[in-house]
PDB file of all heavy atoms in Angstrom:
ATOM      1  N   THR A  93      -1.656  -6.191   0.217  1.00 78.00           N
ATOM      2  CA  THR A  93      -1.432  -4.831   0.716  1.00 78.00           C
ATOM      3  C   THR A  93      -2.536  -4.347   1.643  1.00 78.00           C
ATOM      4  O   THR A  93      -2.322  -3.425   2.418  1.00 78.00           O
ATOM      5  CB  THR A  93      -1.305  -3.844  -0.451  1.00 78.00           C
ATOM      6  OG1 THR A  93      -2.554  -3.799  -1.174  1.00 78.00           O
ATOM      7  CG2 THR A  93      -0.200  -4.267  -1.406  1.00 78.00           C
ATOM      8  N   GLY A  94      -3.719  -4.941   1.551  1.00 82.00           N
ATOM      9  CA  GLY A  94      -4.849  -4.451   2.324  1.00 82.00           C
ATOM     10  C   GLY A  94      -5.507  -3.233   1.717  1.00 82.00           C
ATOM     11  O   GLY A  94      -6.478  -2.712   2.268  1.00 82.00           O
ATOM     12  N   MET A  95      -5.003  -2.769   0.578  1.00 87.00           N
ATOM     13  CA  MET A  95      -5.580  -1.622  -0.115  1.00 87.00           C
ATOM     14  C   MET A  95      -6.476  -2.106  -1.262  1.00 87.00           C
ATOM     15  O   MET A  95      -6.370  -3.250  -1.705  1.00 87.00           O
ATOM     16  CB  MET A  95      -4.485  -0.718  -0.696  1.00 87.00           C
ATOM     17  CG  MET A  95      -3.373  -0.372   0.262  1.00 87.00           C
ATOM     18  SD  MET A  95      -3.955   0.602   1.666  1.00 87.00           S
ATOM     19  CE  MET A  95      -2.441   0.728   2.625  1.00 87.00           C
ATOM     20  N   ARG A  96      -7.330  -1.237  -1.734  1.00 91.00           N
ATOM     21  CA  ARG A  96      -8.073  -1.542  -2.949  1.00 91.00           C
ATOM     22  C   ARG A  96      -7.200  -1.144  -4.138  1.00 91.00           C
ATOM     23  O   ARG A  96      -6.752  -0.011  -4.237  1.00 91.00           O
ATOM     24  CB  ARG A  96      -9.394  -0.768  -2.989  1.00 91.00           C
ATOM     25  CG  ARG A  96     -10.166  -1.004  -4.295  1.00 91.00           C
ATOM     26  CD  ARG A  96     -11.514  -0.349  -4.265  1.00 91.00           C
ATOM     27  NE  ARG A  96     -12.163  -0.444  -5.564  1.00 91.00           N
ATOM     28  CZ  ARG A  96     -13.408  -0.035  -5.817  1.00 91.00           C
ATOM     29  NH1 ARG A  96     -14.132   0.490  -4.846  1.00 91.00           N
ATOM     30  NH2 ARG A  96     -13.915  -0.154  -7.010  1.00 91.00           N
ATOM     31  N   VAL A  97      -6.949  -2.102  -5.030  1.00 92.00           N
ATOM     32  CA  VAL A  97      -6.040  -1.894  -6.150  1.00 92.00           C
ATOM     33  C   VAL A  97      -6.828  -2.025  -7.457  1.00 92.00           C
ATOM     34  O   VAL A  97      -7.617  -2.948  -7.629  1.00 92.00           O
ATOM     35  CB  VAL A  97      -4.886  -2.918  -6.131  1.00 92.00           C
ATOM     36  CG1 VAL A  97      -3.934  -2.675  -7.301  1.00 92.00           C
ATOM     37  CG2 VAL A  97      -4.131  -2.841  -4.807  1.00 92.00           C
ATOM     38  N   GLU A  98      -6.600  -1.076  -8.358  1.00 91.00           N
ATOM     39  CA  GLU A  98      -7.198  -1.123  -9.686  1.00 91.00           C
ATOM     40  C   GLU A  98      -6.086  -1.035 -10.726  1.00 91.00           C
ATOM     41  O   GLU A  98      -5.214  -0.167 -10.644  1.00 91.00           O
ATOM     42  CB  GLU A  98      -8.195   0.025  -9.888  1.00 91.00           C
ATOM     43  CG  GLU A  98      -9.431  -0.076  -9.017  1.00 91.00           C
ATOM     44  CD  GLU A  98     -10.422   1.042  -9.282  1.00 91.00           C
ATOM     45  OE1 GLU A  98     -10.141   1.884 -10.163  1.00 91.00           O
ATOM     46  OE2 GLU A  98     -11.468   1.081  -8.606  1.00 91.00           O
ATOM     47  N   LEU A  99      -6.116  -1.947 -11.691  1.00 90.00           N
ATOM     48  CA  LEU A  99      -5.135  -1.969 -12.766  1.00 90.00           C
ATOM     49  C   LEU A  99      -5.810  -1.656 -14.089  1.00 90.00           C
ATOM     50  O   LEU A  99      -6.967  -2.026 -14.309  1.00 90.00           O
ATOM     51  CB  LEU A  99      -4.456  -3.343 -12.848  1.00 90.00           C
ATOM     52  CG  LEU A  99      -3.751  -3.842 -11.580  1.00 90.00           C
ATOM     53  CD1 LEU A  99      -3.180  -5.236 -11.816  1.00 90.00           C
ATOM     54  CD2 LEU A  99      -2.653  -2.889 -11.163  1.00 90.00           C
ATOM     55  N   GLY A 100      -5.086  -0.989 -14.970  1.00 87.00           N
ATOM     56  CA  GLY A 100      -5.605  -0.688 -16.296  1.00 87.00           C
ATOM     57  C   GLY A 100      -5.351  -1.839 -17.253  1.00 87.00           C
ATOM     58  O   GLY A 100      -5.057  -2.966 -16.855  1.00 87.00           O
ATOM     59  N   ASN A 101      -5.460  -1.556 -18.545  1.00 89.00           N
ATOM     60  CA  ASN A 101      -5.238  -2.581 -19.565  1.00 89.00           C
ATOM     61  C   ASN A 101      -3.791  -3.048 -19.533  1.00 89.00           C
ATOM     62  O   ASN A 101      -2.872  -2.279 -19.249  1.00 89.00           O
ATOM     63  CB  ASN A 101      -5.582  -2.039 -20.947  1.00 89.00           C
ATOM     64  CG  ASN A 101      -7.070  -1.737 -21.083  1.00 89.00           C
ATOM     65  OD1 ASN A 101      -7.906  -2.407 -20.478  1.00 89.00           O
ATOM     66  ND2 ASN A 101      -7.393  -0.723 -21.864  1.00 89.00           N
ATOM     67  N   ILE A 102      -3.590  -4.321 -19.838  1.00 88.00           N
ATOM     68  CA  ILE A 102      -2.273  -4.934 -19.786  1.00 88.00           C
ATOM     69  C   ILE A 102      -1.806  -5.248 -21.200  1.00 88.00           C
ATOM     70  O   ILE A 102      -2.544  -5.841 -21.997  1.00 88.00           O
ATOM     71  CB  ILE A 102      -2.298  -6.213 -18.929  1.00 88.00           C
ATOM     72  CG1 ILE A 102      -2.730  -5.880 -17.487  1.00 88.00           C
ATOM     73  CG2 ILE A 102      -0.943  -6.901 -18.934  1.00 88.00           C
ATOM     74  CD1 ILE A 102      -2.837  -7.095 -16.596  1.00 88.00           C
ATOM     75  N   ASP A 103      -0.577  -4.838 -21.510  1.00 91.00           N
ATOM     76  CA  ASP A 103       0.039  -5.110 -22.811  1.00 91.00           C
ATOM     77  C   ASP A 103       1.329  -5.884 -22.580  1.00 91.00           C
ATOM     78  O   ASP A 103       2.188  -5.448 -21.810  1.00 91.00           O
ATOM     79  CB  ASP A 103       0.321  -3.804 -23.557  1.00 91.00           C
ATOM     80  CG  ASP A 103       0.926  -4.044 -24.928  1.00 91.00           C
ATOM     81  OD1 ASP A 103       0.660  -5.113 -25.510  1.00 91.00           O
ATOM     82  OD2 ASP A 103       1.665  -3.169 -25.420  1.00 91.00           O
ATOM     83  N   LEU A 104       1.458  -7.044 -23.232  1.00 88.00           N
ATOM     84  CA  LEU A 104       2.630  -7.890 -23.066  1.00 88.00           C
ATOM     85  C   LEU A 104       3.613  -7.650 -24.212  1.00 88.00           C
ATOM     86  O   LEU A 104       3.215  -7.613 -25.384  1.00 88.00           O
ATOM     87  CB  LEU A 104       2.228  -9.366 -23.020  1.00 88.00           C
ATOM     88  CG  LEU A 104       1.225  -9.769 -21.928  1.00 88.00           C
ATOM     89  CD1 LEU A 104       0.928 -11.257 -22.011  1.00 88.00           C
ATOM     90  CD2 LEU A 104       1.747  -9.396 -20.551  1.00 88.00           C
ATOM     91  N   LYS A 105       4.893  -7.507 -23.851  1.00 86.00           N
ATOM     92  CA  LYS A 105       5.939  -7.337 -24.847  1.00 86.00           C
ATOM     93  C   LYS A 105       7.001  -8.396 -24.602  1.00 86.00           C
ATOM     94  O   LYS A 105       7.648  -8.419 -23.565  1.00 86.00           O
ATOM     95  CB  LYS A 105       6.562  -5.935 -24.737  1.00 86.00           C
ATOM     96  CG  LYS A 105       5.576  -4.807 -25.028  1.00 86.00           C
ATOM     97  CD  LYS A 105       6.229  -3.437 -24.926  1.00 86.00           C
ATOM     98  CE  LYS A 105       5.220  -2.336 -25.223  1.00 86.00           C
ATOM     99  NZ  LYS A 105       5.840  -0.976 -25.134  1.00 86.00           N
ATOM    100  N   TRP A 106       7.146  -9.293 -25.592  1.00 83.00           N
ATOM    101  CA  TRP A 106       8.049 -10.420 -25.445  1.00 83.00           C
ATOM    102  C   TRP A 106       9.466 -10.029 -25.806  1.00 83.00           C
ATOM    103  O   TRP A 106       9.709  -9.244 -26.718  1.00 83.00           O
ATOM    104  CB  TRP A 106       7.582 -11.589 -26.305  1.00 83.00           C
ATOM    105  CG  TRP A 106       6.213 -12.048 -25.948  1.00 83.00           C
ATOM    106  CD1 TRP A 106       5.029 -11.643 -26.496  1.00 83.00           C
ATOM    107  CD2 TRP A 106       5.874 -12.972 -24.921  1.00 83.00           C
ATOM    108  NE1 TRP A 106       3.970 -12.257 -25.889  1.00 83.00           N
ATOM    109  CE2 TRP A 106       4.455 -13.095 -24.911  1.00 83.00           C
ATOM    110  CE3 TRP A 106       6.619 -13.731 -24.009  1.00 83.00           C
ATOM    111  CZ2 TRP A 106       3.786 -13.927 -24.032  1.00 83.00           C
ATOM    112  CZ3 TRP A 106       5.948 -14.571 -23.135  1.00 83.00           C
ATOM    113  CH2 TRP A 106       4.554 -14.656 -23.152  1.00 83.00           C
ATOM    114  N   GLY A 107      10.435 -10.565 -25.080  1.00 76.00           N
ATOM    115  CA  GLY A 107      11.844 -10.308 -25.326  1.00 76.00           C
ATOM    116  C   GLY A 107      12.672 -11.213 -24.450  1.00 76.00           C
ATOM    117  O   GLY A 107      12.234 -12.311 -24.059  1.00 76.00           O
ATOM    118  N   ALA A 108      13.915 -10.789 -24.151  1.00 70.00           N
ATOM    119  CA  ALA A 108      14.744 -11.577 -23.248  1.00 70.00           C
ATOM    120  C   ALA A 108      14.035 -11.773 -21.910  1.00 70.00           C
ATOM    121  O   ALA A 108      14.127 -12.831 -21.286  1.00 70.00           O
ATOM    122  CB  ALA A 108      16.083 -10.887 -23.049  1.00 70.00           C
TER     123      ALA A 108
END
Side-chain angles (χ1 to χ4, degrees):
T93 64
M95 312 296 176
R96 177 174 173 175
V97 181
E98 293 182 1
L99 303 178
N101 294 328
I102 300 178
D103 182 28
L104 302 180
K105 297 181 180 180
W106 301 92

